[in-house]
Amino acid sequence: MSSNLPKLDLILDTITDGVLVVDRQGVVLYANQAAEILLARSSMVGQSLAIPVHPDKTTYQDINLIRPDGFAWAEMRSAPLDWDGQPGYVIALRDITERKHMELERQKFVSLADNSMEFISMCDMNFIPFYINQAGMRLIGLDNLEQCIRTPVQEFFFPEDQRFILDEFFPRVVSEGHADVEIRFRHFKTGAAIWMIYNAFFIKDSSGEPVGIATVSRDISARKQAEAALREADQHKDEFLAMLAHELRNPLTPISNAAHILDMLKLENPRLSWAKDIIKRQVTHLTHLVDDLLDVSRIARGKISLKKERLNLVDVIKPVLETARDLTQAKQQQLNVGLPEQPILLEGDSVRLSQVLLNLLDNASKYSLEGGQIEINVRQLEAEVEIQVRDNGTGIPAELLPTIFDLFQQGARTLDRAQGGLGIGLTLVKRLVELHGGQVSASSPGAGLGSTFSIRLPTLTEAAGAPDSETSASSPNAGTRVLVVDDDSDVRESTALLLEMNGYEVKMADSGENAVMLIDEFHPDVMLLDIGMPGENGYQVAQRIRQLPNGDDLLLIALSGYGGPEELARSHKAGFDHHLVKPLNFTALCNLLSEREI
């Protein structure tokens, strides 16, 4: 044996497992280099070792090694051996210190996991699960760990989410070492979706290399159900607001029409003129309240869009001032205006900008006393325009200024609620200005000392292509035939009378069926058609009309209490040329009719 020892040394020194030969007393007769490294000893031959071996048979066991630098673990195999005629044992040692550390760490993790109510799991680097805690198995409807191990990891998730997990989430875990997502697990017995916050992260060895993936997930189904309930309640709220607006706008139309008719009658009795002016102001006020209420809901949901065009801000402001003068004159307030002579060009939505300015002027009038002073000044500041609305009214307390643009924010309310309002106008102003890329601010020296609201909007630098100022629509021609269709007799008759007084030839119908029958007899040029009628609604009637011979030649104008983006899109799809919202804006209607005549 000794003659072959050099060859044996050469062979055994090439392997990474430690190899020892000891006599029955544990004295080392041979040790390869790997054994000396594992045991942290040198020149081991002749040294005594306390290693447990069985005297008569081969044994396998894990042993703890005491080394000068601490403890180590080894997997040991031993067998009886005769070494040069001397009985002893051959011992093979494999370093399993790293594995033991991992097992201990895993055991700590498992011990914690088994006492947790959250879903906790571990899988290897190929995403094959090898552990799920009891709470996790109960949550997803699995009975034992064997079921978990046999199940591909993607099947733990709701079918619609499995592709995302495989193609996006797990690659992110591999590249970044961790990731989290809100995702649906599936219940293995019921198939129900279980919403979870799913956190995945690497399990690393002592050198920092990833050796597996652990996940800790929390059931958020209750939160998701609450969020869904809130969304549903929000939807119901929006539906209610839309219905409320419709129901309020319907009676406003004949009231507004009646006021216009009284206007055209040139009343000589001052008391009747006074009553007529009150009706017009209050209809306008209520219409603005309804519009603001719907708009603030749309803005909060991000469902409002601007119809931007190149425009002259001065042309936008002038009509607003005419409307505002009706408000200020009612309280004998003085409105001072400072407008530049040159055009101020910007990209904006003229309707929304008018709404912003009218809200600020209405606010100034509302919170100023009888005979108060209100100013609006506009000036160009390099690439911006500044619009200031100033009043000498009740002012804004210092504590209210930081939240003045918040929804439903108002100053102290008196019992008489003389100023009225819903506390949404300034919120609308801020959101609409920001949608135009601008800013709005408020300032006040204090209560009773007035307030100033300043708007800054980006302007266009090139004056080329400046829009022409709008001109008033020409008077309608007497030859234009208009068919008014509405099931509400007040709306129908007041609208028809107003059109007749403006020179139009008018007939009326109270249903879609009657309207279609009148087409052959009356040959209308224009049909003003209510949407919300019993039986066939306006959309259905419009579709029928477009299918008639020469039906495409008719100017179809929808009239409805609903005016959201969905309703406008539906009107267009049904074949309407225009969609007007109640109460009827008679000037807007006349403009549409004049465009047709041109």
Side-chain angles (χ1 to χ4, degrees), residues 396 400-402 404-405 426 440-444 451-454:
I396 305 170
L400 188 60
L401 271 174
I404 192 68
F405 293 102
L426 290 179
V440 61
S441 61
S443 61
S444 174
S451 57
T452 301
F453 287 84
S454 299

Side-chain angles (χ1 to χ4, degrees), residues 65 77 79 90-91 357 377 388 390 406 437 509 556 567:
L65 303 174
R77 297 184 179 191
V90 61
I91 299 169
L357 296 170
N377 292 293
Q388 279 197 345
R390 182 180 290 109
D406 290 354
L556 285 182
E567 288 79 27

Side-chain angles (χ1 to χ4, degrees), residues 221-242:
S221 298
R223 194 196 83 195
K224 286 291 184 178
Q225 289 168 1
E227 289 174 353
L230 283 174
R231 283 194 299 272
E232 185 178 359
D234 192 54
Q235 182 180 346
H236 289 327
K237 178 259 298 177
D238 293 334
E239 291 170 354
F240 170 76
L241 288 177

Side-chain angles (χ1 to χ4, degrees), residues 174-228:
V174 172
S175 65
E176 299 178 13
H178 63 88
D180 60 83
V181 68
E182 291 186 2
I183 200 164
R184 293 169 295 179
F185 280 50
R186 75 177 180 95
H187 195 281
F188 279 80
K189 292 179 179 176
T190 67
I194 307 165
W195 274 102
M196 307 277 275
I197 293 183
Y198 183 55
N199 297 278
F201 50 90
F202 279 153
I203 303 171
K204 298 181 179 180
D205 61 20
S206 58
S207 64
E209 288 299 311
V211 293
I213 295 169
T215 72
V216 180
S217 308
R218 187 172 74 254
D219 185 358
I220 57 170
S221 298
R223 194 196 83 195
K224 286 291 184 178
Q225 289 168 1
E227 289 174 353

